[in-house]
Amino acid sequence: QAALDYSVKGWNAVIDTNLNGTWYMMQAAARRWAAAAPLATTPPVPHRGSIVNIVAVVSRGNPQVAHTSAARAGVIALTKSVSTEWAQLGIRANCLAPGSIATEGLNVYPRAAAEAFSDSNPMRHLGDVIDIAQGAVYLGAQNTGKFVTGELLVVDGGRQQWGDDWPGGIPPWFKVESR
């Protein structure tokens, strides 16, 4: 949907779900972990928990889903901010940004659009759920990403540096015709 057409209710629903909902869960988990054990008085702090927020690749913006892009960019900034504050609590916080992944979620798109997602990255194929699961395990498990916090891991086959990104199709104004 074009950003000019968002209703206040639509905008708020997306921001509330994607940004505020993420914040409430992060804060509740951090409070629980912090309360579960006494704070360390000197480094290193024992590991208490890991937060892995799943976001969208928003580095280039996302036309037609600007509200989602704004919320997810907020989650990335929020995660980076609390990763510093919560390091003293033994809590790591990171984000994982999937690209086009082969899931049943592609069924909501017309077939031609779903097939076009395979060309949305320079590797010219979809990722799979294992790609995302491995990224989440790396960031979240105590023994793999134990020295990683405040980071954004993009698992998109290079999509963020490739071509156009128009989830609803390129509007006529932006199509380049050969001359």
Side-chain angles (χ1 to χ4, degrees):
Q1 182 181 38
L4 284 174
D5 297 333
Y6 295 161
S7 67
V8 171
K9 182 178 178 182
W11 173 269
N12 287 336
V14 170
I15 297 299
D16 196 42
T17 301
N18 293 315
L19 179 57
N20 296 337
T22 300
W23 164 245
Y24 298 137
M25 289 300 296
M26 289 172 65
Q27 185 185 47
R31 283 179 172 170
R32 184 173 180 165
W33 289 327
L39 292 177
T41 56
T42 59
V45 177
H47 176 52
R48 289 199 176 93
S50 298
I51 295 168
V52 179
N53 291 315
I54 307 299
V55 298
V57 179
V58 297
S59 57
R60 294 176 46 199
N62 288 304
Q64 301 167 326
V65 289
H67 47 4
T68 295
S69 192
R72 302 308 171 107
V75 169
I76 294 167
L78 175 63
T79 302
K80 288 178 175 288
S81 298
V82 300
S83 72
T84 301
E85 287 187 40
W86 296 349
Q88 68 180 343
L89 302 173
I91 299 168
R92 293 183 297 108
N94 293 288
C95 291
L96 176 64
S100 296
I101 305 300
T103 68
E104 59 277 354
L106 290 176
N107 295 337
V108 303
Y109 296 96
R111 185 174 179 170
E115 290 172 357
F117 281 111
S118 292
D119 288 330
S120 69
N121 64 73
M123 296 179 82
R124 308 291 297 270
H125 65 84
L126 298 173
D128 60 44
V129 295
I130 298 301
D131 296 319
I132 304 311
Q134 288 174 336
V137 168
Y138 171 73
L139 291 174
Q142 182 175 350
N143 295 324
T144 54
K146 65 182 189 239
F147 199 55
V148 179
T149 193
E151 292 301 324
L152 170 64
L153 176 60
V154 178
V155 181
D156 72 346
R159 179 180 180 183
Q160 65 182 327
Q161 61 218 25
W162 176 266
D164 298 314
D165 190 12
W166 293 90
I170 300 173
W173 172 263
F174 294 98
K175 289 184 180 178
V176 178
E177 297 180 25
S178 59
R179 299 185 195 276

